[in-house]
Amino acid sequence: MTHKQLDCCPMCGSKKSTSWCPVDGKGFKTVQCDDCNLIYVQNPYDKESLIDFYSNYISEIHQADSILNSQREKMYELELEFLLNFKNHGKVLDVGCSGGQFLKHFR
């Protein structure tokens, strides 16, 4: 997998940032913009690496462990129950929804 380097904040264009957490095991560097406070990955995968990563993501990574899948479904049920305390009608936007499993609970 190949990382590309972002030279500025994707939100405001500032070139000033501060490390937000240690570099993770896959080499991602997360920073916080000093101007708008957006937290973002400063060295995301390049386009080819993203295609490679996500081509098998659902089957090989996200759905590979049946115990984690069961735990994830329970977590979704708890999250839905919590959200319904505040809003019980309307539309939902789930940013970063992966395969949309959480959204299925809103039916």
Side-chain angles (χ1 to χ4, degrees), residues 11-24:
M11 180 74 84
C12 74
S14 173
K15 295 188 180 290
K16 298 180 288 181
S17 64
T18 304
S19 180
W20 189 71
C21 66
V23 174
D24 74 4

Side-chain angles (χ1 to χ4, degrees), residues 76-86:
Y76 293 154
E77 291 170 15
L78 293 171
E79 288 175 346
L80 175 60
E81 185 178 312
F82 174 76
L83 291 173
L84 290 175
N85 288 317
F86 302 97

Side-chain angles (χ1 to χ4, degrees), residues 11 22 24 32 36-37 44 47 57 62 81 83 86 92 104:
M11 180 74 84
D24 74 4
Q32 182 170 11
C36 73
N37 293 319
K47 184 176 181 177
Y57 176 76
H62 194 268
E81 185 178 312
L83 291 173
F86 302 97
V92 175
K104 291 177 186 174

Side-chain angles (χ1 to χ4, degrees), residues 42-81:
Q42 193 173 44
N43 61 334
Y45 284 146
D46 65 10
K47 184 176 181 177
E48 293 79 24
S49 296
L50 283 173
I51 291 168
D52 184 44
F53 178 82
Y54 283 110
S55 66
N56 297 311
Y57 176 76
I58 295 296
S59 62
E60 294 181 11
I61 298 171
H62 194 268
Q63 299 294 315
D65 188 324
S66 62
I67 293 172
L68 285 178
N69 288 338
S70 295
Q71 292 171 337
R72 192 176 295 116
E73 286 300 316
K74 180 63 177 172
M75 178 189 70
Y76 293 154
E77 291 170 15
L78 293 171
E79 288 175 346
L80 175 60
E81 185 178 312

Side-chain angles (χ1 to χ4, degrees), residues 5-18 31-42:
Q5 187 68 29
L6 300 180
D7 61 352
C8 63
C9 173
M11 180 74 84
C12 74
S14 173
K15 295 188 180 290
K16 298 180 288 181
S17 64
T18 304
V31 298
Q32 182 170 11
C33 176
D34 293 341
D35 290 325
C36 73
N37 293 319
L38 178 72
I39 297 169
Y40 64 98
V41 175
Q42 193 173 44

Side-chain angles (χ1 to χ4, degrees), residues 76 79-81 83-84 87 90-94 100-107:
Y76 293 154
E79 288 175 346
L80 175 60
E81 185 178 312
L83 291 173
L84 290 175
K87 186 87 171 170
K91 296 181 179 182
V92 175
L93 173 64
D94 184 8
Q101 291 84 356
F102 178 54
L103 292 174
K104 291 177 186 174
H105 289 269
F106 283 87
R107 290 184 178 162

